[in-house]
Amino acid sequence: MDLKKLNVFLTVADLGNFTKAGETLGYTQSGITQMMKTLEQEVGVPLFIKSHHGVKLTDEGLALVPSIRSLLSANESLNQEISFLKGAKRGTIKIASFTSCTIHWLPKIIYNFQKEYPGITFDIDEGNEQEIVDWIQNHKADIGFTSFQNRQAYEFIPVYEDPMLAILPSDHPYTKYDEIPIEWYENVPFIVSEYTHINEVHQLLKTHNVKPDIKYTMSNDFSILSMVEHNLGISILPELIIRDRNYRFEARPLIPRASRILGIAISSYEELSPAAKIFTKYARDYLLH
C-alpha cells in the first residue's frame, strides 16, 4: 500500500479537511480527494464522512488509524536506520509537549542539539496530559514532555519536580499570607484548565476534597493567568508555567506542599528511531545537568 496515501489519510484525519490537508502537504484539494478515493477503493470500505464543515472518519477509518500510525512510524525508523548507517544522521522526531515545556525547555535543547545533528528536524504538537498520553500510545508522537502519571503504558524519565502554586490577583485578600492552605479554595471563585482525570490540579482538589466555585474553564494555562490578572478568580498552576511571566498576579506556596513530576515519556526506548533515541538521551542529560 502506498505510504504517501497513508500519510495523506492521517493528515486529513487530523485536520478534518481536504483543503487544509492539501495546503499542509503541498497538494491541490482535487489531488487529495483523488488519493483518498483510491485509498477507499483499495481498502474496500468508506473512510470519510463529508459535511459542510469538512470531513470526519468513519468507524472503519478510525479503526485503521493506530495501525497506520504504527506503520509510518516504523517506516520513518527504517529510513533513519539506513541514513545513520550511511553516516548522514537524518530524520524527523515527533514531539508532544506541555506549552510550558515548549517555551522554557525545547528551544534551548533543540538549538544545542542541532549544532551536532543539523540533519534532524522536529515536528512539535502541544497538548494536555491526556492528549500527550494518547499521542505517545498511538505513535502520533515519538517523545512526550509531560508529567508523570500512575498506571500509564509508557516509559517515563523524570527530570524535574515542579511545585504547584496558588495564583492570586495582586489585590486579593490572600496575598497578605506567605502560604495558602488548600482548604481556602472551598467555594471561592476559581479558574481552572479543562478537566481530564489525570490533570494535577483536578487531582489535587479531589485528594483534599476541596470544591471551589469554578467560574471559568480554560483550554490554555496562559489564558488562566490573564483571567486571574483581571480579578476574575484565583487558580492553582505549576511554577514552570508562570516562570518569566510579567502578568500582574501573585504566587504563593500551597499548604500542604504539592508538585508534579515532569519528564520524558516514550512508548518504548527499544522501539524509538535512531534520531529519537539520541535526542531522548540528549534532552535527559541537558535537563538533569
Side-chain angles (χ1 to χ4, degrees), residues 164-193:
M164 306 292 286
L165 302 175
I167 307 299
L168 314 166
S170 297
D171 59 353
H172 195 277
Y174 288 178
T175 59
K176 64 184 179 182
Y177 299 97
D178 294 331
E179 301 172 311
I180 308 300
I182 188 69
E183 59 266 25
W184 286 8
Y185 278 82
E186 184 73 26
N187 291 325
V188 301
F190 191 66
I191 306 163
V192 69
S193 56

Side-chain angles (χ1 to χ4, degrees), residues 4-288:
K4 179 171 67 177
K5 281 187 286 191
L6 296 181
N7 184 55
V8 171
F9 168 80
L10 289 183
T11 304
V12 173
D14 290 339
L15 297 177
N17 187 285
F18 282 6
T19 301
K20 290 180 180 178
E23 292 171 352
T24 299
L25 298 173
Y27 295 109
T28 63
Q29 189 270 343
S30 60
I32 295 287
T33 301
Q34 184 57 45
M35 278 191 280
M36 293 303 93
K37 283 183 178 179
T38 303
L39 182 61
E40 286 183 320
Q41 291 169 359
E42 293 175 1
V43 174
V45 295
L47 299 176
F48 299 100
I49 300 171
K50 297 181 181 179
S51 71
H52 294 299
H53 303 292
V55 296
K56 65 178 183 178
L57 295 181
T58 62
D59 290 342
E60 293 82 0
L62 285 169
L64 290 176
V65 168
S67 295
I68 292 175
R69 289 201 193 280
S70 181
L71 175 61
L72 293 180
S73 178
N75 182 67
E76 171 67 18
S77 184
L78 174 61
N79 289 334
Q80 287 185 25
E81 291 280 5
I82 295 170
S83 173
F84 274 56
L85 287 173
K86 293 178 179 179
K89 292 184 172 59
R90 296 184 180 278
T92 298
I93 301 172
K94 295 176 292 183
I95 293 177
S97 177
F98 284 158
T99 300
S100 55
C101 296
T102 303
I103 291 173
H104 295 294
W105 290 356
L106 287 182
K108 296 176 183 177
I109 295 171
I110 292 173
Y111 175 77
N112 287 284
F113 180 81
Q114 288 196 315
K115 291 179 182 178
E116 188 171 354
Y117 301 99
I120 295 176
T121 58
F122 295 85
D123 182 359
I124 302 172
D125 280 322
E126 295 178 342
N128 61 35
E129 303 89 343
Q130 189 60 58
E131 288 172 329
I132 294 174
V133 168
D134 293 341
W135 295 342
I136 291 293
Q137 292 178 345
N138 67 24
H139 299 283
K140 187 177 180 181
D142 303 310
I143 300 168
F145 287 84
T146 185
S147 56
F148 174 76
Q149 304 293 336
N150 287 317
R151 297 182 297 278
Q152 293 297 331
Y154 55 66
E155 297 178 17
F156 188 81
I157 304 168
V159 297
Y160 181 71
E161 183 172 1
D162 193 15
M164 306 292 286
L165 302 175
I167 307 299
L168 314 166
S170 297
D171 59 353
H172 195 277
Y174 288 178
T175 59
K176 64 184 179 182
Y177 299 97
D178 294 331
E179 301 172 311
I180 308 300
I182 188 69
E183 59 266 25
W184 286 8
Y185 278 82
E186 184 73 26
N187 291 325
V188 301
F190 191 66
I191 306 163
V192 69
S193 56
E194 293 175 322
Y195 175 82
T196 70
H197 72 281
I198 58 177
N199 176 275
E200 288 86 4
V201 175
H202 290 282
Q203 285 183 334
L204 179 64
L205 294 170
K206 183 177 180 180
T207 297
H208 295 281
N209 196 29
V210 173
K211 297 178 181 178
D213 180 13
I214 297 177
K215 294 293 188 182
Y216 306 95
T217 301
M218 315 297 294
S219 60
N220 184 290
D221 290 327
F222 297 106
S223 297
I224 292 176
L225 289 176
S226 181
M227 299 289 275
V228 172
E229 178 185 30
H230 287 84
N231 209 23
L232 294 172
I234 66 177
S235 190
I236 297 172
L237 289 173
E239 184 273 335
L240 189 63
I241 289 170
I242 70 169
R243 186 179 297 176
D244 301 327
R245 307 308 296 181
N246 293 319
Y247 288 93
R248 295 185 298 276
F249 62 83
E250 296 288 333
R252 298 286 188 274
L254 291 169
I255 303 175
R257 295 289 191 267
S259 63
R260 63 177 182 175
I261 303 300
L262 295 178
I264 303 168
I266 51 179
S267 59
S268 168
Y269 185 79
E270 294 303 318
E271 295 177 3
L272 287 178
S273 68
K277 283 182 179 177
I278 292 172
F279 183 78
T280 297
K281 183 178 184 304
Y282 187 93
R284 179 199 64 192
D285 294 345
Y286 184 94
L287 292 169
L288 290 174

